[in-house]
Structure formats: C-alpha cells, structure tokens
Amino acid sequence: MTRAILTLNSGSSSLKLGLFDEDLNALAMGHVDRIGRREAAMKLTGSDGAPLPLPETAPEAFATNAAALKTALAAFHADFERLEIVAVGHRVVHGGIDHAAPERVTPALIKDLARLAPFAPLHQPHNLAGIRAAIDAFPGVPQIVCYDTAFHRGHPFVSDVYALPRAYYDKGVRRYGFHGLSYDYINGELARREPGLHAGRVVVAHLGSGASICALKGGKSIASSLGFSALDGLPMGTRSGELDPGVVLYLMDQEGMSAADISDLLYKKSGLLGLSGISNDMRTLEASDHPHAAQAIAYFAFRIKREIGAMAAALGGLDGVVFCGGIGENSARLRAEVCANMDWLGIALDPQANAQNALEIGSDRVRVLVIPTNEEIVIARAARQVLSQ
C-alpha cells in the first residue's frame, strides 16, 4: 500500500484534486472544469502528466460541485485502489478573524466556518461540502484545512480597514484578501527561482474565474484588490468586482430588489458574463466576434491595468509582475492588452515570448513573468505539516 495525501480544492466553477505521496511527490491530479455547463469535463493525469483513463459518466455527473466531487473521487478510487489515504487537505476560502494557521477539522470548526458563508457564498458552502464528503468517503482519516485569507493577515492597518465606525472593524468587517494559497505558491517559487526579485516589489495577478491582484514586498503581502468578500476589486467570470455602494442602495430603493436578488446579481450574473451577455469563460469570449465580447475583455484588461498601477503606488515602485491562474497563464491576448502602453511604469512585453506563454515575457525594466500556480501542493504541504505535529 502507498500512503498518500489527497487534496481537494473546490472553486466556484471548477474542482481540483491532487494525490501526493508522503514526500509530496505528485501521484495524480484531477480537474473538473466548467461545472454546471454542458461543456463540463474531467481530466485526470498521472505523475508524469500523461492522461489517465476516464470512467464512463452520466450526463449529470458534473451538474453541481457536489456531483463533480463524487464523480472525481470515484475515478480516483478506480485508478488507485492500493492507496492508503493518510490525510485529506482542503482549501477553505474564508478563515475570518480567528483562523489563519492550517488545522484539523472538528465538528466545532465546521460550525464556525459555516458562519462565514455569507462572506463567501460562492465558495464556503462548496468548501464545507467537500469536507463533509471527504469525511464520509474516508472515515477516521484526518481532515485538514488551510485558508485563502491567511496569506494576507499581516497587512498594514491602512490595507486592512474600511472607513466605517471602528466597531465594525472589531466585529470583522475588514479587508481579508483571498487567493492566498495561490499567492503563497507564487511567493515560494519567486524565492526559489528569483531570490533577487522576491526581495523586491512584485505585483502578482491571479486571473481566472475568480481574479485578484496582490502586492508583495520582500515576500510579504501588503495589499490585495479583494476585500471583505470575494466581490471586490477586479471583475471576474460572473462577479461584478469593485462597485459603488450607492449602486446597491439604488437597486434596493428604486428597483425593489431584495438582498437575495442583489446577491444573485452581483455573484452570478455580472462580471464577464454580465458585460458580454455571452459567457463567463475567457476562451469563449476570445473566440467570439461579437463586439460585446471584445468590450468585456477590454474592461477586464483595463481594470487589471489600473490595479497594477495602484499596487505599484502601494509598493513605492515596481520590480516585477507575475501572471498566474487559468487566464493569466494561458491568455496571451489578455496579457498583451494589460501591458499595452505601460512603458511609463517600465512594463513592456516581448510579443514572441508572450505568444509562447514563456516564463519571462517582459522586455523592459520591470520583469514580467508567467508562473503556473499550484494550490494543491500548498494544501498538501499544510496537511503534512499538521500531521507531523
């Protein structure tokens, strides 16, 4: 029997799974993409990156995150019958004020994290559903969680607070930042590959169905485009991004919308989907010749560009930009639009390197890198760390 750590990372429209041995070598990876859509599909790869055979699946196998998780776990069981799962590591989007370090799951912890669901309604329920499913699938096996908000917990006060009465800050109404596992991985890769750049001022753009930007100074997060919830900052696949709070008041007072209506609008019907009226998927928008698709992409790029400038101001200068996440790693068009006319900040792209998704795509003073992120290995490291304790 091979002792292994399983990782589960359930996003708003995707599910990622990883299998690692006790030395954290990857045994297999699984990815379910476009959950809830007709195009939804699962990909399994072995330790060498080669595709593994896929089981027959029913049409509803990927209709919801819960169904996708059940289907993927069954596929892993079929391919790795002789594995002993010694721990299951989970990504949890929101840890709130009280949870930062990785920790073992208890009934009390699940209840505590469930209370944070209103802060991240697209993610927290899926994260907790994954934990419950894994408890059922692997009874008695330690379940360990690590938090997307933890990486940003050392923010200076000015990056952590809203200009509301102080009592709200004390209650937890503050800027948490998210995508911390991704930023943790990129930060570690910079330290390993580019120690000089890691010691400097770097803006990391995590661009996917969820999108955000983080300012790193000497390897520490000092600011994030995301705040109290996963709605702030950049527009995303279906989320609005930054919004004048007066718009919410207008929707309530003039449109007669309830809190549930507004939540549905801002989380599920806005962003790239709302702007284009076509899709929340960048691949679909880039393939479309409809002007609304181009406008949605242009707005996305403009907001990323603006946020990079804001983060450079927070950092007091800029030494590097890193693109990661599904869009950041794969969309040469989006990267080119973001970096166009940014020479005033020292940013320019090498068109050929950008088209090839090369590691180094910059051609000016500020270095521009594309580094594929790996949240699964961060989760596996956290699980092993807690087990060792």
Side-chain angles (χ1 to χ4, degrees), residues 238-239 264-271 273-275:
T238 62
R239 284 171 265 169
D264 186 62
L265 172 69
L266 299 184
Y267 275 104
K268 298 180 180 180
K269 297 178 180 176
S270 299
L273 174 63
L275 278 174

Side-chain angles (χ1 to χ4, degrees), residues 111-124:
K111 289 182 180 179
D112 206 15
L113 297 178
R115 285 193 284 269
L116 296 171
F119 296 175
L122 279 191
H123 299 84
Q124 201 85 347

Side-chain angles (χ1 to χ4, degrees), residues 230-248:
L231 278 174
D232 204 2
L234 303 177
M236 306 175 216
T238 62
R239 284 171 265 169
S240 63
E242 182 183 62
L243 188 72
D244 183 338
V247 174
V248 177

Side-chain angles (χ1 to χ4, degrees), residues 15-16 28 33 44 47 71 74 80 83 89 95 118 139 143 148 159 161 175 199 241 292-293 332 380:
L15 172 68
K16 296 179 182 178
D33 193 22
L44 298 179
S47 58
T71 303
F80 298 95
L83 283 180
Q143 308 287 326
D148 247 352
S159 294
V161 71
R175 299 185 63 88
H292 290 179

Side-chain angles (χ1 to χ4, degrees), residues 102-225:
E103 56 188 327
R104 290 186 185 234
V105 171
T106 65
L109 178 61
I110 291 178
K111 289 182 180 179
D112 206 15
L113 297 178
R115 285 193 284 269
L116 296 171
F119 296 175
L122 279 191
H123 299 84
Q124 201 85 347
H126 296 314
N127 299 156
L128 296 177
I131 293 172
R132 295 185 182 101
I135 290 172
D136 292 339
F138 305 100
V141 173
Q143 308 287 326
I144 296 159
V145 296
C146 46
Y147 302 102
D148 247 352
T149 48
F151 188 72
H152 307 290
R153 290 297 296 275
H155 276 180
F157 177 76
V158 293
S159 294
D160 202 40
V161 71
Y162 292 101
L164 295 169
R166 194 67 167 242
Y168 290 103
Y169 180 78
D170 296 336
K171 291 178 180 179
V173 180
R174 57 183 70 184
R175 299 185 63 88
Y176 290 98
F178 298 91
H179 297 136
L181 301 185
S182 177
Y183 293 128
D184 190 350
Y185 178 80
I186 297 299
N187 189 48
E189 286 297 284
L190 287 174
R192 182 176 68 86
R193 300 184 188 190
E194 304 285 348
L197 186 57
H198 176 262
R201 302 160 299 184
V202 180
V203 169
V204 183
H206 174 101
L207 308 176
S209 293
S212 68
I213 292 186
C214 176
L216 298 178
K217 192 169 189 176
K220 302 292 184 183
S221 172
I222 67 162
S224 169
S225 62

